[in-house]
Amino acid sequence: MVMLKPDPSFYPSPRMAMKAAPETLAYVAAFDPTRAVPDELAVVDVDPKSTTYGQIVTAVAMPNVGDELHHFGWNACSSCLCPNAPHPHAERRYLVVPGLKSSRIHIIDTKPDGRKPSIVKVIEPGEVAERAGYSRPHTIHCGPEGIYIAALGNAEGKGPGGVFLMDHQTFEVRGQWEMDRGPQQLSYDVWWHLGHDTLVTSEWGTPDTFENGLIPEVLLGSKYGHRLHFWDLHKRKHVQTIDLGEKYQLVFELRPAHNPTKAYGFVNCVLSLEDLSSSIWVWHRDGEKWAVTKVIDIPAEPADPELLPPMLKGFNAVPPFVTDIDLSMDDRFLYVSCWGTGDLQQYDVSDPFKPKLTGKVRIGGVVSRASHAGAKNGTLNGGPQMVEISRDGRRVYFTNSLYGAIDDQIYPDGVSGWMVKLDVRADGGIAFDEKFFVEWPKSHRPHQVRLQGGDCSSDSYCYP
Amino acid sequence: MNELWPWMLLAGLGAFHGLNPAMGWLFAVALGVHRQSSAAVVKAVPAIALGHAVSIALVAGAVVAVGLFVDQGAVRTATGAGLVAWALWHHFFGHRHRVRIGMRTGLAGLVLWSFLMATAHGAGLMLLPALMPLCLAGSPLHDIGGDTTAAITIAAVGVHTVAMLAVTSLIALAVYRWVGLEILRSAWINMDLVWTLVLLGTGTILLIV
């Protein structure tokens, strides 16, 4: 489709993106943990003026079963306006939705009717393996050279995982992104500082160490990822590794400052082997190099072992399990999902080295099982997981499932899916929207949320 | 007037290239806002014009040199075919170019970036219809000799580049100082489409006429 003007959802800067009209639809990837029926991309009405507000209005079923839809992203976004690699007449139209387990990638068209998206192309795992040498596609980001996809395994499902490129118009797999990988082996998230020509990656583990759930021996042996990798974005060359330390396991979500002139970002570490705490770290410039500083520690909460899953009984505590974080468009508020305790926290990170806790809600949680005004049946399980912030920063959405096999390890009664929304006060503070509680159909569990027109974890900008 | 129109066309194409955000002024503005310095904008523009000039000079020089020895009709046909092929390539694969220069680049990087952008866009090819009457066999100027042809080619590249430099500087400074980047959302019409159509149209005319 030839566009005569840039897509109206592209903004040169995050400041301008904050002025965008509120989103009216959310897209949510949901999977069937029993692998009996196809996974779905659900469309949730988030327009308060609509009669179907807070309801799933459509669910697009995938053509196969057992994909485990997980993270996904847009084919094009605001980085198309970058001066060094402009392709502004692309259209933010297609969602690129991979199956983390199947390695199959679905291209879903959200036009002409955003409430009724349709699958227009399916890329089979063989094509990804043959052309890029990778499998288990995870993070999707539109960027300077097309669509960047972090993959957790190589073609054989072992290490190294890495990043591959896909064409943002034809969706052809273009090949491995790295030209010099250096010591990087494990893969998880990928994002960048467009203003600093730097790409950052984080680490989970190879598919054999997570596909059937976390393996206690691997975890206690410090064999899951604990390092960050910094790359030259344009030379595609590894330039630096930073090791958070062996006791820090599962270094996950990368949230660089949206302002491209700022050279810092946040990453969460899910678990400290020492005390089961979670932590948030800031990476930043230190002279010519990158450095990291731990800025938030969230301790485990003492708990009655009777209420804990077998994996945690011996510890008498419930870990916060910070599995996702998200940074508001103005780089002011960081949202932190504590999937174990059930907290969703808001920190003012205006000074990234001195975060201040400014808000907290609790829902679900291994022990607390906190409920919601909109829930019919009292206690809720699962906990705050993938969190997404509206471009203007006034609304926050999150779901409660982490990953099929791990859900069942931590919540052995099974995760009953839900999605909720928070309203954010201008100067900090969060509260549940009591009218917004999406009780998910029992057949599926919801994972990542993407907002129509863009959100705070899928767009990047070249101008401050 | 007949002698003037190729020069006006060269200057007009310079202005057209300068107008396109993808050819440089936007990069100059971006460096300005990143470094909070209008000096960065002013310094960037000549580097961008230089890279552009080198790219078109190479193409123009090559075609004019060939034209000294080869029949004019053959050059026209080859150029026409080249323009059409470039237009098609640009339409289908132009968005794919590998990004080699980032936001931390110095002036040398900008020259290289601009050279690569101009070359990938077929900027030099676009000038050939204006250059042919000036430099190729059949031109009254051609009889004067090869040295003069070289001088005319250099002058042609110069006229084009000065026009491009003037337009690029004006827009870069205006957007940086007064207009702001919001204009990208409303005024960035699809220059790539216009560009492709110009390449295709010019190539077709050369082939048919």
Side-chain angles (χ1 to χ4, degrees):
Chain A
M1 174 105 184
V2 177
M3 303 272 286
L4 287 177
K5 284 191 175 182
D7 188 300
S9 73
F10 296 170
Y11 289 84
S13 71
R15 278 182 301 120
M16 293 175 198
M18 289 187 72
K19 296 178 191 156
E23 64 286 346
T24 57
L25 295 174
Y27 297 97
V28 183
F31 69 99
D32 167 22
T34 68
R35 306 162 71 83
V37 295
D39 296 351
E40 293 176 346
L41 184 79
V43 185
V44 176
D45 186 338
V46 295
D47 179 0
K49 294 192 286 294
S50 165
T51 52
T52 49
Y53 179 59
Q55 296 175 25
I56 298 171
V57 292
T58 325
V60 181
M62 300 302 114
N64 298 277
V65 295
D67 289 310
E68 184 126 8
L69 299 190
H70 199 67
H71 291 199
F72 63 113
W74 292 104
N75 68 311
C77 53
S78 298
S79 62
C80 288
L81 299 175
C82 282
N84 57 335
H87 30 87
H89 301 95
E91 200 177 2
R92 187 203 300 268
R93 169 170 186 155
Y94 301 98
L95 285 164
V96 181
V97 187
L100 182 55
K101 197 139 193 163
S102 68
S103 304
R104 190 176 288 115
I105 302 175
H106 312 87
I107 309 297
I108 298 183
D109 190 354
T110 64
K111 291 192 176 168
D113 183 355
R115 294 166 78 96
K116 292 178 187 159
S118 57
I119 298 173
V120 291
K121 186 169 180 176
V122 176
I123 297 145
E124 293 297 328
E127 186 178 340
V128 178
E130 188 186 326
R131 296 206 174 179
Y134 285 127
S135 66
R136 279 67 169 194
H138 184 266
T139 306
I140 311 285
H141 273 304
C142 40
E145 292 186 53
I147 302 166
Y148 294 61
I149 304 182
L152 270 51
N154 66 8
E156 290 77 41
K158 301 188 168 69
V163 178
F164 66 93
L165 280 173
M166 181 188 266
D167 192 283
H168 73 276
Q169 289 181 343
T170 63
F171 306 106
E172 175 193 333
V173 176
R174 298 224 316 248
Q176 179 182 315
W177 174 80
E178 303 86 0
M179 291 190 176
D180 176 359
R181 176 189 307 285
Q184 178 266 331
Q185 288 290 308
L186 301 180
S187 175
Y188 182 73
D189 199 12
V190 58
W191 217 354
W192 42 59
H193 292 285
L194 292 177
H196 294 267
D197 304 330
T198 297
L199 179 139
V200 190
T201 60
S202 60
E203 295 186 340
W204 185 0
T206 50
D208 55 318
T209 63
F210 68 77
E211 285 196 327
N212 297 311
L214 293 175
I215 302 174
E217 296 75 36
V218 177
L219 185 66
L220 298 172
S222 303
K223 296 289 194 294
Y224 286 117
H226 44 86
R227 301 190 297 176
L228 290 177
H229 300 276
F230 295 83
W231 309 72
D232 185 313
L233 176 60
H234 303 302
K235 291 187 179 137
R236 304 185 185 176
K237 184 177 183 306
H238 186 279
V239 291
Q240 192 184 344
T241 301
I242 296 184
D243 196 333
L244 272 55
E246 287 203 341
K247 73 176 185 182
Y248 293 105
Q249 289 285 282
L250 310 168
V251 176
F252 270 8
E253 306 290 340
L254 302 166
R255 304 292 177 227
H258 295 283
N259 180 335
T261 64
K262 306 285 185 207
Y264 69 84
F266 298 90
V267 62
N268 60 310
C269 168
V270 178
L271 195 67
S272 160
L273 295 179
E274 207 169 70
D275 55 10
L276 303 187
S277 64
S278 293
S279 47
I280 311 286
W281 303 63
V282 171
W283 73 79
H284 53 93
R285 290 301 276 182
D286 180 16
E288 290 303 300
K289 292 277 194 184
W290 293 94
V292 293
T293 303
K294 186 162 75 170
V295 291
I296 300 173
D297 245 323
I298 302 174
E301 291 180 2
D304 178 353
E306 288 297 310
L307 301 173
L308 292 171
M311 200 177 179
L312 296 173
K313 275 198 193 305
F315 296 101
N316 295 346
V318 57
F321 283 132
V322 170
T323 45
D324 191 26
I325 57 175
D326 204 3
L327 183 61
S328 63
M329 200 64 93
D330 56 2
D331 298 327
R332 183 168 174 200
F333 292 113
L334 185 75
Y335 292 86
V336 175
S337 291
C338 303
W339 189 64
T341 51
D343 287 341
L344 191 289
Q345 303 183 339
Q346 181 202 46
Y347 290 87
D348 184 331
V349 290
S350 305
D351 178 349
F353 295 100
K354 289 183 184 149
K356 285 182 249 164
L357 185 65
T358 45
K360 183 153 92 169
V361 295
R362 179 164 277 201
I363 181 166
V366 171
V367 173
S368 63
R369 307 281 162 139
S371 192
H372 183 281
K376 294 189 200 99
N377 61 347
T379 63
L380 296 174
N381 65 12
Q385 221 284 301
M386 291 316 288
V387 54
E388 199 49 75
I389 312 164
S390 65
R391 287 172 292 184
D392 62 6
R394 303 307 297 271
R395 295 165 302 285
V396 172
Y397 304 86
F398 58 91
T399 56
N400 69 331
S401 162
L402 173 62
Y403 180 78
I406 300 176
D407 283 352
D408 298 338
Q409 286 180 303
I410 306 301
Y411 291 90
D413 46 337
V415 165
S416 297
W418 43 258
M419 172 182 173
V420 294
K421 178 199 152 202
L422 305 176
D423 291 314
V424 181
R425 284 190 285 278
D427 282 319
I430 46 178
F432 284 114
D433 174 348
E434 297 192 348
K435 293 185 185 132
F436 192 104
F437 181 85
V438 187
E439 186 180 341
W440 221 264
K442 295 291 173 230
S443 53
H444 290 83
R445 292 179 192 170
H447 190 64
Q448 195 177 38
V449 180
R450 287 264 165 257
L451 303 179
Q452 188 182 35
D455 47 53
C456 288
S457 73
S458 61
D459 261 56
S460 46
Y461 305 85
C462 269
Y463 313 91
Chain B
M1 193 62 198
N2 268 357
E3 290 83 33
L4 255 184
W5 81 259
W7 297 99
M8 290 171 67
L9 184 58
L10 286 165
L13 283 170
F16 173 56
H17 293 181
L19 198 65
N20 186 351
M23 298 300 274
W25 66 256
L26 186 57
F27 209 153
V29 172
L31 294 176
V33 295
H34 271 253
R35 293 162 197 181
Q36 296 187 318
S37 144
S38 48
V41 182
V42 173
K43 276 187 203 161
V45 176
I48 289 162
L50 178 62
H52 188 88
V54 172
S55 169
I56 60 168
L58 284 178
V59 177
V63 172
V64 169
V66 169
L68 289 176
F69 306 104
V70 178
D71 171 61
Q72 190 188 3
V75 175
R76 281 177 70 96
T77 307
T79 305
L83 280 162
V84 171
W86 212 273
L88 294 175
W89 180 87
H90 191 67
H91 180 68
F92 289 108
F93 304 110
H95 64 281
R96 273 195 184 186
H97 54 264
R98 165 119 192 263
V99 181
R100 290 168 194 274
I101 303 296
M103 301 301 296
R104 313 277 300 165
T105 184
L107 293 180
L110 269 186
V111 174
L112 176 64
W113 174 83
S114 176
F115 172 80
L116 294 171
M117 280 305 259
T119 308
H121 277 74
L125 282 173
M126 203 183 271
L127 303 193
L128 294 180
L131 269 176
M132 281 178 183
L134 293 175
C135 302
L136 293 191
S139 160
L141 295 165
H142 179 67
D143 297 333
I144 306 167
D147 288 350
T148 316
T149 303
I152 291 168
T153 309
I154 292 166
V157 170
V159 165
H160 174 84
T161 306
V162 167
M164 187 227 174
L165 181 65
V167 172
T168 303
S169 309
L170 196 69
I171 300 179
L173 280 172
V175 172
Y176 179 74
R177 280 273 174 86
W178 301 291
V179 180
L181 285 159
E182 187 73 37
I183 192 173
L184 296 180
R185 306 190 64 238
S186 54
W188 194 342
I189 56 161
N190 194 339
M191 296 292 274
D192 269 4
L193 183 66
V194 178
W195 193 283
T196 304
L197 293 174
V198 170
L199 287 172
L200 194 66
T202 319
T204 310
I205 289 168
L206 282 179
L207 285 173
I208 295 171
V209 178

